[in-house]
Amino acid sequence: MSSFTIRRLAAGGAVTSLLLAGCSAVVDGPLTGTDSDAVTVSDQWVKAAESGMSSAFAQLSNIGDRDVRIVAVSSPASARAELHEVTTRADGTAVMRQKQGGMTVPANSTHTLVPGGDHLMLLDLTDPLAPGMTTTLSLIFEDGSTMSFDAQVRDFSGNQKSYDPTGGHGSAPAAAPMPGHGA
Ligand SMILES: [Cu+2]
């Protein structure tokens, strides 16, 4: 088999695992392909926004038999994108911040991204996100595999949250509320 053929085959998740298993003395659990192979996305949508920031939500289902972790997100809709969670500060205010360590989707389970909970954060929008439009989001998994999906832009006015850019570690001044921005 030529090296070209091997590279072509390695682009498929299941084949990659078989090749890796063949080269490794340690095989942890059954072969189930890449992290992205195990996850399906449904009910995905993005909050409409004129400029600045927005957030995306979805239901992430892991149909595999091991936990997978999402470590990053990107989108052509924004210059930067982050994995966020919402927490409550000592004074009772809900703030969102980067989710340390990424988002885990447990084996045979579903992790739901919702307003007021974990979400995909779009920072520095490149263009207005108008209702009815579609944009693409890409999830990057711990093993380096990626998954892209299209999400529809929808109007949403609930759950306004301020963004704590310190990540909740408290050394910088408190985050100011950002009108028009919701998690
Ligand atoms: Cu956020």
Side-chain angles (χ1 to χ4, degrees), residues 41 44 89 93 120 150 180:
V41 174
Q44 66 272 28
R89 286 201 299 226
T93 350
L120 307 173
D150 290 339

Side-chain angles (χ1 to χ4, degrees), residues 55 84 96 119 121 181 183:
S55 29
H84 273 198
M96 59 177 186
H119 55 276
M121 194 77 207
H181 163 247

Side-chain angles (χ1 to χ4, degrees), residues 151-163:
Q152 197 183 56
V153 178
R154 297 183 193 165
D155 260 325
F156 183 79
S157 56
N159 273 291
Q160 302 294 315
K161 295 282 183 296
S162 57
Y163 176 27

Side-chain angles (χ1 to χ4, degrees), residues 52-154:
M53 301 189 266
S54 185
S55 29
F57 311 95
Q59 195 161 305
L60 307 171
S61 297
N62 181 352
I63 55 171
D65 54 6
R66 61 187 165 84
D67 296 357
V68 298
R69 197 189 335 223
I70 298 159
V71 295
V73 58
S74 68
S75 171
S78 67
R80 288 189 297 137
E82 296 177 350
L83 304 170
H84 273 198
E85 64 183 354
V86 174
T87 59
T88 306
R89 286 201 299 226
D91 65 0
T93 350
V95 290
M96 59 177 186
R97 63 182 185 190
Q98 270 207 73
K99 196 170 171 75
Q100 300 299 318
M103 281 175 191
T104 299
V105 187
N108 296 301
S109 186
T110 295
H111 185 65
T112 306
L113 308 179
V114 286
D118 286 2
H119 55 276
L120 307 173
M121 194 77 207
L122 303 176
L123 299 151
D124 303 330
L125 294 178
T126 52
D127 288 301
L129 289 172
M133 280 175 56
T134 295
T135 193
T136 304
L137 291 142
S138 298
L139 304 177
I140 297 109
F141 291 83
E142 196 172 22
D143 68 352
S145 60
T146 61
M147 158 187 268
S148 295
F149 58 92
D150 290 339
Q152 197 183 56
V153 178
R154 297 183 193 165

